[in-house]
């Protein structure tokens, strides 16, 4: 017989299928004969015994033919219905894996894989596992991330070298590369380590869908899910008949499947029952077990995959439930009301009584959120109203009237008194119980608020259609803090409270046997369930990131929370790269224009290593100028459909934190082969203009070229060259001409309505050894910043026009919708109070002119803050497929351009890679790739890029907040002057010019009357009035409450008119003095 499949013969899943079809053992014994002879554990004929156990159905519908046709209908991306016919040939020669030395064999079902993947993948007690092919395909269709992990578990490390004609070393290398090609969940070890662990635990794919004895036909009126469950049970039955010795266990958390399996005589266990069974052999097993409690009285499983209903709501269809029914604590001890059944939800949505939307929690709270119902927003406040929904869940809500709001509010207060947690409010054990009069007064006030016309409509969650649970980073609450919060919480030694880093999420209860090892650590937790009998959701930890407070660990938390891919590039990706000592050869230069004699240089932020653009300028004999923008030719190395291209399409962008960056492409490309460093030959995709001295464009052409940059300058170095009258070098003369032309182009853009907005970009000075922040200041812009920006904008505009002319349906452009009208109206009202009366915003040109006029010559802060406020009114610019958007919506509002795209940063943006391919096809260099010939595919990629780009921006801001916290944590409390920019319900939003930071200063209602509509805050004790642009003094300090690394601003006093506000020039001079002691090591990407 062939060697044991887990002892050197190895395969991916396809190889496992081929291995499953090997010949029967010597002696002519057929599989059925072997089963009958070895069915009993004592060696007797076990066929009759199995028959008695209800296994007759295993042979009732065995297909008689060897060929089956599977037919189904599938909806395409174009929303068309396509009939799919698949031919399947049945096999008779499959012999099961013998699992030598195993005490038991586990057969997995789909439910257990989807909900217990961490337990299955990482717990040593899960071994000798059979994965039916049915399960593999079901998981593939429902969750690709879990499918990738399951595939990785089923792979074996070493290939069958003789079959492939490889040496053993080559085979091992190929297998390692294949394993690493599977996306590995961060922090769970390298692919090689995982392969070794898999080999020891024996996971095996059983091809039941291709074997005659285990193939199952779908019965009339049988759902596909029930058919698949029956197919999985058939595999377990078949193994019992064909394996001698090991006990066959069906592992499932599905109650119905488990009951049916036991009725058929199978040994079926839940994951928890398996843990208890294996605890003697594996004392630490069950650490990653998901806490999936079966809920009584919950809605049916069609809502977000919840457990089946045991006592569903019996509200008659069309009848609105009474508010008190939900507000009161359940008679069965439940904390939250049950969700509606799917049939009730469907009926309510059709009748307009219920509304569906995505829940978005307010910043810094898990108690208040909103969902969009058409053009109106419904506010959902309080734990009872949220009813176990978390940020991002797709929920069903019903509106509540004034009476229902009051009842819900009273029930919410009772819930807060029950739970000793800051998120719910402090326990009231040491406070006086409110009198009946006080309660009546509170009820009257709340009723008045509920019926107020100014308030948003209120609602409550009655169902969850789709959970948006993910992995969450955070820290365990210290045991002392947990125990000191009263007897309301019933903790044992293994139950701990997890505090998420994201304050929009509730605390999570986890159960662990390694409590001491997790203290003061940043860990990753997965949500498992939240039944209506529990105040908190339940979860389990999966990964330890490191120590709380360590800067590297905190940066990992930021990246993880924002969905940034940080895994190492796989061997398959690295094989796509050229050699490390690559230099342009004849085959690389062929078909390119030779610009190596042109005077080219790059100008970038300090410390920039991924230099993807360079510029050139030369006077022509006719008096005009030849101006060039040269962009790294990344697509020469990143070909469509390759492993490196797929990885870049998944990452979409390079993510910049204060002290580090996470690259979209491997470092060999980004910092070396594609980086346009000075003095080396590099390949480019160039845009070349002939311009008149007045910057009028005579001609534009696009070409691939080779350059040799004369210098790689920083913005400061280039500015110093331009400002130095003694410098008369050719390179400096070229820079001066570029700067002169850029100013003309910028003036013309401004004349057409381009907006010059502003934002507070914080720059951190980092210690050269520890990399801890030693000072924080506002980022400085120079003329050279604007010079490079103008030419990048010009190149992007030229490329957008070119690709749109050639590919009107498949272009990838970037558009910027007009700003929010209501926000600009509020801004106009505020400016009118400060003497700016003629503020218009009917078009971008009107808004640009109004901003230019909204200045106070003696107050530079005012001028900058007005532009910052205008920036807050803007919508986000987005990438889009031209075939999916009306041409009237193509324009870019902020830049005053009809057509715009991103072409100039292919090293760090995947959108630019797509644009390079479109441009190459438009000038006839290459054919248009298949991925750019389908509007739905392009649109889907653009949506992904937009999400990744937005998350990268937020990650950068979170990193800035972290370093601000670290700075003030080391410096201690600091008082500073601040300027009010907005009045919010929670306080006043201010900007602190000294540090270039923004924040909200709380203004307690007991002391201040906050008028959000009039944008004023008035002291209740006559201590003054605060309005927009008023200067105040704030106390800045680090606040690590709940381990969330915040910087807290506290109001100290109003700066009186008699006091001299810190002058703008004086503040800038102080910044320069501080910067002399610092090292400008922050990584700053180019804006365009």
């Amino acid at each position: 017989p062939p060697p044991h499949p887990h002892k050197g013969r190895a395969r991916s899943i396809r190889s496992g299928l081929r291995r499953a079809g090997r010949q029967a053992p010597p002696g002519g014994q057929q599989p059925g004969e072997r089963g009958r002879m070895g069915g009993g554990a004592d060696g007797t004929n076990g066929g009759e015994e199995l028959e008695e156990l209800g296994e007759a159905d295993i042979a009732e519908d065995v297909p008689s033919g060897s060929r089956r046709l599977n037919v189904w209908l599938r909806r395409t991306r174009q929303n068309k219905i396509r009939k799919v016919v698949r031919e399947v040939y049945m096999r008779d020669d499959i012999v099961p894996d013998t699992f030598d030395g195993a005490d038991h064999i586990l057969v997995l079902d789909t439910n257990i894989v989807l909900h217990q993947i961490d337990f299955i993948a990482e717990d040593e007690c899960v071994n000798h596992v059979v994965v039916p092919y049915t399960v593999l395909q079901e998981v593939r269709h429902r969750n690709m991330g879990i499918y990738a992990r399951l595939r990785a578990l089923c792979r074996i490390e070493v290939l069958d070298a003789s079959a492939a004609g490889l040496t053993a070393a080559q085979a091992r290398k190929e297998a390692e590369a294949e394993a690493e090609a599977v996306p590995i969940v961060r922090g769970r070890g390298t692919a090689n380590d995982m392969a070794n662990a898999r080999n020891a635990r024996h996971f095996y794919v059983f091809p039941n869908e291709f074997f005659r004895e285990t193939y199952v036909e779908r019965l009339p009126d049988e759902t596909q899910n029930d058919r698949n469950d029956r197919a999985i049970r058939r595999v377990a039955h078949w193994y019992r008949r064909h394996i001698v010795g090991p006990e066959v266990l069906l592992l499932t958390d599905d109650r119905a499947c488990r009951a049916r399996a036991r009725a058929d005589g199978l040994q079926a266990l839940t994951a928890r029952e398996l843990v208890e069974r294996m605890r003697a052999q594996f004392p630490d097993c069950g650490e990653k077990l998901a806490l999936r409690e079966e809920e009584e009285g919950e809605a049916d499983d069609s809502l977000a995959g919840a457990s089946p209903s045991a006592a569903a709501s019996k509200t008659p269809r069309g009848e609105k439930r009474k508010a008190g029914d939900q507000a009161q604590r359940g008679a069965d001890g439940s904390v939250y009301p049950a969700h509606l059944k799917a049939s009730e939800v469907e009926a309510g949505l059709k009748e307009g009584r219920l509304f569906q939307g995505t829940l978005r929690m307010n910043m810094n709270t898990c108690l208040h959120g909103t969902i969009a119902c058409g053009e109106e927003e419904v506010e959902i406040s309080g734990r009872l109203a949220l009813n176990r929904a978390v940020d991002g869940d797709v929920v069903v809500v019903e509106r509540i009237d004034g009476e229902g709001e009051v009842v819900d509010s009273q029930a919410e207060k009772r819930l807060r008194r029950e739970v000793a947690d800051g998120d719910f409010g402090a326990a009231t054990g040491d406070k006086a119980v409110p009198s009946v009069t006080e309660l009546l007064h509170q009820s009257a006030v709340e009723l008045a608020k509920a019926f107020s016309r100014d308030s948003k409509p209120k609602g409550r969650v009655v169902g969850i259609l789709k959970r948006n649970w993910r992995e969450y980073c955070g820290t365990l609450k210290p045991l002392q803090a947990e125990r000191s919060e009263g007897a309301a919480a019933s903790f044992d030694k293994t139950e701990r409270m997890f505090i998420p880093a994201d304050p929009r999420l509730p605390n999570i209860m986890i159960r662990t046997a390694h409590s001491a090892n997790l203290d003061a650590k940043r860990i990753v937790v997965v949500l498992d369930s939240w039944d209506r009998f529990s105040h908190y959701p339940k979860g389990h930890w999966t990964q330890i990131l490191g120590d709380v407070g360590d800067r590297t660990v905190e940066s990992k938390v930021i990246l993880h929370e924002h969905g940034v891919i940080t895994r190492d590039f796989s061997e398959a990706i690295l094989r796509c790269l050229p050699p490390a000592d690559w230099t342009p050869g004849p085959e690389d230069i062929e078909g390119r224009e030779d610009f190596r004699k042109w005077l080219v240089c790059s100008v970038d932020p300090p410390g920039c290593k991924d230099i993807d653009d360079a510029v050139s300028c030369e006077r022509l004999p006719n008096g005009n100028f030849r101006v060039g923008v040269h962009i790294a030719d990344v697509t020469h190395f990143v070909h469509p459909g390759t492993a490196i291209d797929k990885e870049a399409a998944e990452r979409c962008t390079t993510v910049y934190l204060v002290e580090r960056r996470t690259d979209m492409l491997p470092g060999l490309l980004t910092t070396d082969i594609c980086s346009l460093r000075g003095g080396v030959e590099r390949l480019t995709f160039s845009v070349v203009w002939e311009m008149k001295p007045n910057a009028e464009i005579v001609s534009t052409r696009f070409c691939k070229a080779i350059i040799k940059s004369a210098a790689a300058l920083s913005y400061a170095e280039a500015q110093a060259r331009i400002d130095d009258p003694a410098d008369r070098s050719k390179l400096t003369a070229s820079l001066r001409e570029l700067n002169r032309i850029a100013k003309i182009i910028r003036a013309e853009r401004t004349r057409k309505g381009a907006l010059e907005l502003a934002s507070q970009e914080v720059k951190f000075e980092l210690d050269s050894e520890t990399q801890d922040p030693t000072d924080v200041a506002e980022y400085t812009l120079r003329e050279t910043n604007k010079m490079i920006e103008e030419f990048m904008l010009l190149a992007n505009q030229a490329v957008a026009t070119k690709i749109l002319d050639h590919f009107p349906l498949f272009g990838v452009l970037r558009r910027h919708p007009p700003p929010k009208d209501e926000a600009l109206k509020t801004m106009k009202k505020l400016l009118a109070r400060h003497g700016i009366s003629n503020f218009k915003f009917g078009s971008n040109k009107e808004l640009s002119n109004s901003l230019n006029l909204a200045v106070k010559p003696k107050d530079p802060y005012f001028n900058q803050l007005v532009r910052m406020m205008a920036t807050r009114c803007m919508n986000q610019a987005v990438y889009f497929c031209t075939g999916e958007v009306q041409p009237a919506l193509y324009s870019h509002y902020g830049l005053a351009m009809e057509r715009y795209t991103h072409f100039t940063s292919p090293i760090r943006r995947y959108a630019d890679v797509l644009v390079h391919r479109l441009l190459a096809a438009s000038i006839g260099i290459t054919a248009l790739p298949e991925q750019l010939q389908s509007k739905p595919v392009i649109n889907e990629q653009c949506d992904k890029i937009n999400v990744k780009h937005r998350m990268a921006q937020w990650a950068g801001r979170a990193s800035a907040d972290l370093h601000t916290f670290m700075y003030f944590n080391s410096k201690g409390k600091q008082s500073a002057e601040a300027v009010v920019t907005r009045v919010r319900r929670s306080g006043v939003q201010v900007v602190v010019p000294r540090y270039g930071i923004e924040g909200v200063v709380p203004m307690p209602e007991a002391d201040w009357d906050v008028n959000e509509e009039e944008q004023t805050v008035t002291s209740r004790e006559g201590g003054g009035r605060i309005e927009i642009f008023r200067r105040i003094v704030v106390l800045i300090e680090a606040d690590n409450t709940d381990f969330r690394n915040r910087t807290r601003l506290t109001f100290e006093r109003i700066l009186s008119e008699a006091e001299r506000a810190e002058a703008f020039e004086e503040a800038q001079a102080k910044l320069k003095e501080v910067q002399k002691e610092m090292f400008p090591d922050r990584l700053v990407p180019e804006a365009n």
Side-chain angles (χ1 to χ4, degrees), residues 285-305:
C285 67
E287 183 67 20
K288 303 296 178 68
L289 188 69
L291 303 177
R292 296 191 54 78
E293 313 289 348
E294 291 186 340
E295 304 180 47
E296 296 294 334
E298 193 54 271
D300 61 35
D301 60 355
S302 60
L303 286 181

Side-chain angles (χ1 to χ4, degrees), residues 569 573-580 582 609-612 632-639 642 644-645 648 654 661 663-677 682-683 906-908 913:
F569 292 102
I573 294 170
L574 298 180
R575 284 201 301 271
C576 297
L577 301 177
W582 176 91
K609 296 179 180 179
D610 52 344
I611 304 172
D612 47 18
D633 189 6
V634 172
T635 54
H636 183 76
F637 306 97
V638 180
H639 302 291
T642 58
I644 191 172
D645 180 56
T654 293
R661 72 168 184 265
D663 288 327
M664 181 184 78
L665 294 169
L668 181 63
L669 287 184
T670 59
T671 62
D672 188 1
I673 293 175
C674 288
S675 184
L676 308 183
R677 297 180 291 127
R682 289 292 179 258
L683 306 181
I907 285 178
R908 61 185 178 91
V913 173

